[in-house]
Amino acid sequence: MTGPLHGQTVLVIGRGGGIARAVVVAARDAGAHVIAAGRDRQALDKAYAGESDIDTETVDLTDEASIAALGERLGTIDHVVSTASARARGRLADLDRDAVRRSFDTKVIGPLMLAKHLAPRTPASGSFTLFSGVAAAKIAVGTLAVAITNGAADVLARSLALELAPIRVNAISPGVIDTGAWDAFGEAGKADYFADIAARNPARRIGTVDDIAGAVLYAMTSTFLTGTTLRVDGGEPLT
């Protein structure tokens, strides 16, 4: 398949649905051979069964040996995208230390180790795309740990962009995206929450996984873009 990623290999780390799946499919449709990796390979095998040009792999971002082993198995990778997260929500008094540690380990330290072990296998024309989030730009009570994790991811992207140059490193900062993550609110609660966000943000709607996948494709293919956080959030921090 021809496209802007034709002949290139893209590694996408995350689950088999939501934003990760949208990125995997968009990269494949742009001509790439895509490797979808995560802790639950069986779930990924099921999610991508029958899909062409998509392979699956196992990796645990909280385990450096697992990341190093993945690099040994894969060889050269043109683009690396890490969508994985482990959110630690709640007010300060209710925050669990282990949950905060998992949040940093998954979204900051894990991608740092990915860069350590995969950058030597990435060509100069390649890229890393990390994930931040709107909580870093719009501070609110109850999202302290999420905000500082996302802020660290922003700084990591800028720092890696300088150290790994000319390999490009960027971050994506999604706003409220309809991924299924809000289903725990219940049907009515989710509908009310989405209606409130859509009424207040300048885009006047909730984001979609395709909005985010498009931004990731741009980050991978725009060869003059590095050290930047792309805020795909409907203007939510302005409200």
Side-chain angles (χ1 to χ4, degrees), residues 42-195:
Q42 287 186 332
L44 292 174
D45 285 342
K46 183 177 180 180
Y48 298 110
E51 297 275 9
S52 62
D53 289 321
I54 300 174
D55 292 328
T56 60
E57 260 290 358
T58 302
V59 69
D60 181 351
L61 290 188
T62 68
D63 181 353
E64 183 177 358
S66 174
I67 295 169
L70 176 67
E72 292 289 341
R73 293 194 301 272
L74 295 185
T76 300
I77 298 291
D78 294 285
H79 304 281
V80 178
V81 182
S82 179
T83 73
S85 65
R87 294 174 181 169
R89 294 188 179 277
R91 289 174 174 262
L92 177 61
D94 301 320
L95 284 176
D96 175 76
R97 183 183 183 92
D98 288 339
V100 176
R101 184 182 289 112
R102 281 193 300 273
S103 179
F104 267 84
D105 217 5
T106 303
K107 209 166 187 179
V108 181
I109 301 173
L112 176 64
M113 293 298 104
L114 281 173
K116 175 182 176 181
H117 292 283
L118 298 186
R121 304 174 182 279
T122 302
S125 58
S127 74
F128 284 75
T129 304
L130 314 183
F131 266 69
S132 174
V134 70
K138 185 178 182 181
I139 302 303
V141 173
T143 61
L144 168 62
V146 179
I148 60 177
T149 302
N150 288 339
D154 288 336
V155 174
L156 176 60
R158 296 200 303 273
S159 299
L160 288 175
L162 191 61
E163 184 157 346
L164 299 184
I167 295 171
R168 296 177 300 103
V169 185
N170 295 290
I172 307 295
S173 178
V176 177
I177 308 297
D178 189 3
T179 63
W182 309 101
D183 292 352
F185 285 12
E187 188 174 341
K190 175 180 172 180
D192 288 345
Y193 178 68
F194 279 7

